[in-house]
Amino acid sequence: MSDLLERLRASGWRITPQRRAVAEVLDGDHVHLTADEVQARAAQRLPEISRAAVYTILSGLVLLGEVAEVSAQGRAKRYDPNAHPPHEHLVCSGCGTIRDVHPTGDPLAALPEEDRFGFTVSRVEITYRGLCPGCAPGLPHG
């Protein structure tokens, strides 16, 4: 059984055939798939799964905190099954490639108390944007 399925079972989430198919697609390599890509791969496992069911399941997984929704600026949202531990993303503004990054330090420390306007901050989401090596030929990489 996949790690994601085990976590979902432990949380008490009922595992239907549709939910199992989506969880199996998301488990494993930490790729950032669109909902349509998840649906296409889930349909290979369960041909009768609908696009609406996939969207509903993805929304539920995001609400549970088991999948992160990543915005790629002007592109379809992507779903990251690598939600634990929390991390940031590096997004190519050319081709839309997304990579997980795990900087050290506390990102909240970069926000001075006076710039919080009294907010009690519960989480920080950071997205780094730039060009990947394939989209920036001739530019120094490093």
Side-chain angles (χ1 to χ4, degrees), residues 10 37 45 107 122 134:
E37 290 169 333
R45 299 170 189 278
S122 58

Side-chain angles (χ1 to χ4, degrees), residues 108-129:
L108 195 52
L111 182 63
E113 197 65 43
E114 61 271 12
D115 287 338
R116 296 182 192 185
F117 301 98
F119 278 62
T120 301
V121 180
S122 58
R123 74 178 197 210
V124 177
E125 296 175 7
I126 298 173
T127 302
Y128 301 92
R129 297 189 188 280

Side-chain angles (χ1 to χ4, degrees), residues 131-142:
L131 293 174
C132 70
C135 290
L139 294 177
H141 303 291

Side-chain angles (χ1 to χ4, degrees), residues 32-98:
H32 301 83
L33 302 173
T34 66
D36 288 341
E37 290 169 333
V38 172
Q39 197 278 326
R41 292 179 185 193
Q44 292 173 348
R45 299 170 189 278
L46 188 67
E48 64 272 14
I49 194 166
S50 70
R51 186 173 186 215
V54 169
Y55 274 88
T56 300
I57 293 164
L58 287 171
S59 294
L61 291 170
V62 169
L63 286 173
L64 281 174
E66 292 296 339
V67 171
E69 193 175 69
V70 182
S71 172
Q73 202 172 30
R75 298 177 185 269
K77 291 179 185 172
R78 299 205 170 241
Y79 295 88
D80 182 2
N82 188 16
H84 304 284
H87 58 277
E88 286 86 38
H89 293 97
L90 186 61
V91 178
C92 178
S93 46
C95 66
T97 295
I98 300 173

Side-chain angles (χ1 to χ4, degrees), residues 4-22:
L4 180 56
L5 279 172
E6 287 178 23
R7 291 194 322 262
L8 292 172
R9 278 214 169 100
S11 73
W13 215 46
R14 193 169 64 94
I15 307 297
T16 64
Q18 293 85 359
R19 288 176 173 178
R20 173 184 286 280
V22 169

